[in-house]
Amino acid sequence: LAEHAAGSCLFLADAHPDAVTASLKRLLAERGAKQLKVDAVKVAHHGSKNNTDEELVSLIDSRCFLFSTSGAKFKHPDEEVIARILDGAGGRPITLYFNYLSEFNKKWKAQPLQEKHNYSAIYSDDSEGPLVLTIE
């Protein structure tokens, strides 16, 4: 968890959901909160269904979810993770950020799907350099 006056981001690396959930529950108890509000979440293990479960998502309040993967090795992100994030948002608008457009994440670019589930999908455009997200 990185917190600064300018914003906050939860970087989940390759952590297992039970470890992150236990840590978040301790932090939330200390803060007297039900959810951790952060500006962005770097989704665990490139969006693997084994690293993001419903309980973990239920503890996070964020509108931005970052996926860092080309999908080349493990074919991530898994559809189950996207569904868990969208379900966890409870209808609030969110944005999914992808550092690549790949055969494994291109389905989330479909406008009818974005409208139905109230999200936006942003992909890196290699011609403009790396995907940069500014937290304000």
Side-chain angles (χ1 to χ4, degrees), residues 38-42 62-66 93-97 133:
V38 291
D39 294 299
V41 177
K42 176 8 197 108
S62 184
R63 297 191 191 277
C64 300
F65 292 85
L66 319 173
I94 64 168
T95 305
L96 307 175
Y97 291 88
L133 176 66

Side-chain angles (χ1 to χ4, degrees), residues 60-61 105 129:
I60 301 168
D61 177 3
N105 66 25

Side-chain angles (χ1 to χ4, degrees), residues 84-99:
R84 290 169 187 163
I85 290 169
L86 294 175
D87 287 346
R92 294 172 307 173
I94 64 168
T95 305
L96 307 175
Y97 291 88
F98 300 95
N99 66 327

Side-chain angles (χ1 to χ4, degrees), residues 19 50 122:
N50 298 318
I122 309 262

Side-chain angles (χ1 to χ4, degrees), residues 12-95:
L12 297 178
D14 285 345
H16 290 274
D18 55 339
V20 177
T21 297
S23 294
L24 286 178
K25 285 181 176 179
R26 282 192 304 274
L27 178 63
L28 292 169
E30 290 173 14
R31 294 183 177 185
K34 293 184 180 188
Q35 287 186 308
L36 180 65
K37 183 165 180 56
V38 291
D39 294 299
V41 177
K42 176 8 197 108
V43 179
H45 200 271
H46 318 289
S48 169
K49 64 184 176 185
N50 298 318
N51 294 76
T52 301
D53 62 17
E54 293 87 352
E55 184 178 19
L56 172 59
V57 171
S58 75
L59 297 174
I60 301 168
D61 177 3
S62 184
R63 297 191 191 277
C64 300
F65 292 85
L66 319 173
F67 294 86
S68 177
T69 182
S70 68
K73 189 170 184 179
F74 296 110
K75 301 178 182 174
H76 291 143
D78 291 324
E79 290 184 11
E80 294 91 337
V81 172
I82 305 290
R84 290 169 187 163
I85 290 169
L86 294 175
D87 287 346
R92 294 172 307 173
I94 64 168
T95 305

